[in-house]
């Protein structure tokens, strides 16, 4: 196997290591590292296991040392540019230099200005550095983290459930859920991929949701996202969102920009928006929804609460048109229920109607 093929294979392995199940979500990226001998043989490998633990490069180097392997003259293949700063751990660029690594191949350049610069440090010290190998795969692995760092705010997924005529509840309030059991289970799967769940005070006052992530049997998962409640109305102490099942923050604002800024300051990178139509409308008008996950139930109500508030759109030419990236039929898991359809859409920075600053 030639050197290029060996490095490509090593990068694919590093990406797989970075995606190891069980690594906590955020605030750090997922990173994998494989160290190759000059002949292209794997000497050691490692991956990051969450904030405060050894970075992937340090993990791989430690494993090599523990096995008595000399990595002098080796090539480090890493999914993200080695960091150049001291945080809870030391700079990986310096660790690679001290280990005698002669070449570093990394996929994605580090977009974080605090940590970036490792490639330059390595080059200045005489290490051969190559960037961009399987970069799209690396960015996809850390899509939310990359977005948050590059945009200075969390990535926002808006989840809604509606009938095929766009109603999220019947007029008399009898429909607590319009989606099926399969859709609700799928929602919990997606909730677990975010580090924050957000609703408005109106949803808390009207529905008293628990806002936790649960398994198919209704049991809470060990790790729970932050529960964020946005709005100016007081939340009674008896509401379930204030219990000890998960951490909760009250965002005393009606401005989506301010809410996201506060969450970003808390190292939050992915907001799962599950509020009512008013909150959804405010985020859509502000251009702060990045992904939409819509569960469509195959029936009609003809009246009742709309899935989203007025967006200020007066003509079809102004219609809000996100880009469909996936469509899936969710087959029933309970007898008698009908299949729902899940649409996943991306907005690409699109804003709906005139910008508004009011939330729930």
């Amino acid at each position: 196997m030639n050197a290029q093929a060996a490095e490509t294979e090593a990068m694919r392995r590093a990406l797989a290591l970075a995606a190891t199940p069980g690594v906590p979500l955020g605030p750090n990226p997922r990173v994998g590292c494989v160290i190759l001998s000059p002949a292209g043989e794997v000497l050691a490998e490692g991956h990051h296991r969450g904030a405060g633990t050894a970075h992937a490069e340090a993990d791989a180097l430690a494993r090599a040392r523990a096995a008595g392997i000399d990595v002098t003259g080796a090539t480090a293949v890493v999914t993200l540019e080695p960091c150049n700063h001291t945080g809870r751990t030391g700079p990986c660029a310096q660790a690679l230099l001290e280990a005698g690594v002669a070449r570093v191949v990394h996929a994605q350049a580090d977009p974080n200005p605090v940590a970036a610069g490792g490639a330059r440090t390595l080059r200045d010290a005489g290490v051969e550095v190559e960037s961009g190998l399987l970069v799209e795969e690396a960015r996809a692995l850390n899509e939310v983290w990359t977005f948050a760092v590059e945009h200075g705010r969390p990535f926002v997924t808006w989840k809604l459930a509606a009938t095929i005529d766009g109603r999220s509840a019947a007029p008399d309030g009898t429909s607590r859920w319009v989606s099926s059991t399969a859709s609700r289970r799928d929602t919990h799967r997606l909730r677990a991929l975010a580090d924050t769940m957000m609703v408005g005070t109106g949803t808390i006052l009207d529905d008293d949701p628990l806002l936790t992530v649960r398994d198919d049997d209704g049991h809470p998962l060990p790790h729970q996202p932050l529960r964020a409640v946005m709005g100016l109305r007081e939340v009674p102490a008896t509401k379930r969102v204030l219990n000890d099942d998960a951490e909760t923050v009250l965002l005393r604002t009606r401005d989506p920009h301010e809410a996201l800024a506060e969450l970003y300051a808390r190292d939050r990178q992915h907001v799962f928006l599950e509020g009512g139509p008013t909150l959804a409308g405010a985020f859509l008008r502000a251009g702060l929804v990045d992904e939409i996950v819509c569960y469509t139930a195959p029936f009609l109500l003809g009246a009742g609460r709309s899935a989203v508030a007025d967006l200020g759109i007066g003509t079809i030419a102004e219609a809000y048109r996100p880009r469909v990236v996936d469509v899936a039929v969710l087959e029933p898991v309970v007898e008698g229920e009908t299949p729902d359809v899940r649409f996943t859409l991306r907005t690409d920075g699109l804003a709906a109607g005139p910008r508004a600053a009011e939330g729930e």
Side-chain angles (χ1 to χ4, degrees):
M1 182 183 298
N2 62 38
Q4 183 178 5
E7 289 174 359
T8 300
E9 183 175 316
M11 185 64 79
R12 294 196 187 281
R13 173 59 181 162
L15 288 165
L17 288 167
T20 299
V23 175
L25 296 173
N28 290 1
R30 294 177 173 234
V31 185
C33 175
V34 174
I35 299 177
L36 299 177
S37 72
E41 299 172 341
V42 175
L43 298 177
E45 57 184 33
H47 70 280
H48 185 47
R49 291 171 173 80
T53 66
H55 288 190
E57 301 94 319
D59 185 39
L61 291 172
R63 290 172 182 273
R65 285 193 299 270
I69 298 172
D70 184 4
V71 300
T72 302
T75 296
V77 179
V78 196
T79 58
L80 182 68
E81 177 186 0
C83 70
N84 199 44
H85 82 299
T86 299
R88 284 190 257 186
T89 58
C92 291
Q94 188 61 40
L96 292 170
L97 287 175
E98 293 173 356
V101 168
R103 176 173 163 82
V104 173
V105 179
H106 65 87
Q108 181 183 1
D110 196 330
N112 185 351
V114 175
R120 173 181 287 184
T121 294
L122 290 164
R123 287 193 182 99
D124 289 348
V127 174
E128 185 180 355
V129 178
E130 180 181 332
S131 175
L133 180 62
L134 302 185
V135 63
E136 293 304 320
E137 289 88 338
R139 286 182 65 89
L141 174 69
N142 286 307
E143 179 186 21
V144 166
W145 175 83
T146 300
F147 178 96
V149 171
E150 292 180 345
H151 291 78
R153 69 165 178 85
F155 183 90
V156 176
T157 296
W158 171 42
K159 169 259 172 179
L160 70 150
T163 62
I164 57 176
D165 57 345
R167 305 296 177 176
S168 62
D172 64 354
T174 55
S175 52
R176 181 181 177 188
W177 294 303
V178 297
S179 58
S180 67
T181 302
S183 292
R184 296 195 294 276
R185 289 181 178 178
D186 194 60
T187 295
H188 280 278
R189 176 185 66 83
L190 294 179
R191 282 181 175 183
L193 299 178
D195 57 28
T196 305
M197 292 177 54
M198 181 188 287
V199 298
T201 52
T203 295
I204 297 300
L205 296 174
D206 294 343
D207 300 335
D208 193 20
L210 190 56
L211 289 186
T212 56
V213 180
R214 300 179 290 278
D215 63 20
D216 290 350
D217 296 319
H219 301 132
L221 299 187
H223 177 73
Q224 292 291 330
L226 175 71
R227 300 179 294 193
V229 182
M230 175 181 161
L232 300 179
R233 285 182 282 182
E234 291 298 320
V235 176
T238 54
K239 292 300 182 180
R240 298 195 299 168
V241 75
L242 297 180
N243 66 19
D244 294 330
D245 290 357
E247 182 184 0
T248 299
V249 60
L250 302 179
L251 304 174
R252 302 294 190 179
T253 180
R254 290 180 175 175
D255 185 342
H257 292 87
E258 290 182 4
L260 293 184
E262 183 172 340
L263 291 172
Y264 189 67
R266 293 171 175 265
D267 276 338
R268 299 294 159 165
Q269 298 165 350
H270 189 181
V271 171
F272 199 70
L273 189 66
E274 286 205 69
T278 303
L279 187 67
F283 272 79
L284 287 166
R285 289 192 297 274
L288 293 176
V289 172
D290 306 297
E291 178 181 60
I292 300 173
V293 177
C294 175
Y295 297 95
T296 303
F299 59 88
L300 301 162
L301 285 174
R305 187 171 66 174
S306 174
V308 64
D310 182 14
L311 297 178
I313 295 171
T315 176
I316 192 66
E318 299 173 352
Y320 186 81
R321 300 180 187 273
R323 174 172 54 91
V324 178
V325 296
D326 184 64
V327 180
V329 176
L330 303 180
E331 296 298 337
V333 296
V334 173
E335 185 176 356
E337 292 187 341
T338 53
D340 287 348
V341 178
R342 183 192 66 222
F343 293 89
T344 305
L345 310 97
R346 291 300 177 93
T347 67
D348 303 323
L350 184 67
R355 176 175 166 177
E358 70 274 15
E360 283 189 277

